[in-house]
Amino acid sequence: MSFVETQDGTAIFYKDWGPRDAQPLVFHHGWPLTADDWDAQMMFFLGQGFRVIAHDRRGHGRSSQTWEGNEMDTYAADVAALTDHLDLRDAVHIGHSTGGGEVAHYVARAKSGWVAKAVLIGAVPPIMLKTPKNPGGLPLEVFDGFRAALVANRAQFFLDVPAGPFYGFNREGAAVSEGVIRNWWRQGMMGGAKAHYDCIKAFSETDFTEDLQSIAQPVLVMHGDDDQIVPYADSAPLSAELLSKGTLKTYPDLPHGMCTTHPDIINADLLAFIRG
């Protein structure tokens, strides 16, 4: 397995597939998952001739189970360490959910020439938490509930989320996949409880407004309007407005985990944006 060591000694696991001279696509996963959540995209884009890279965020998957540094500044610094290590210039950074926040935070700070484009999919920016400046956000009690459920019985919580709202499997007529549910659980349980606990604050309370406003590269914002994890109205349209070169693409009736439930649709639109 491949790892890069960060300044604080954290080992970040990554996958790096494809020709080294091809344009790199860097995938950033959601909470509490791993690089494995991008299988459907990495295999597709590998077949299209791209170099595809995905890492396990610190505290997640095969990376070090850190008890500190589980916040967006350090996440972005970890990505910078990975991109420096692999010399990933002219890259397209693609982030889902929490990974979308990580992308915004990294791209806003990236060195000139290192980022060509970015994609935010079902992403947490601008900010999930309800505040005076963001009255449409979710109340703190929602995220306190996440933390309480994680501490009480993480294993059961990590079954309930994918079996219900994450993939829309709680909707009438949904094509429920037991394999997808178990794979979500497998990825979640690979990580550390402390890092997962801290990451709830990172994805819910970080305000990405200034990040989005400072990004000069083209950004595609993709979001299902039946997203039960990151509600559509308070995320994607607001992010697209803050971006100088933002394009919003809305997917009627699709869930938060649409990269897994509808990869043919998502992959085709990603390819068109990357090559466009």
Side-chain angles (χ1 to χ4, degrees), residues 235-259:
S235 53
L238 303 183
S239 290
E241 289 179 4
L242 290 166
L243 291 158
S244 63
K245 296 180 182 177
T247 300
L248 174 62
K249 191 164 184 62
T250 305
Y251 296 84
D253 303 323
L254 291 198
H256 186 63
M258 63 186 182
C259 293

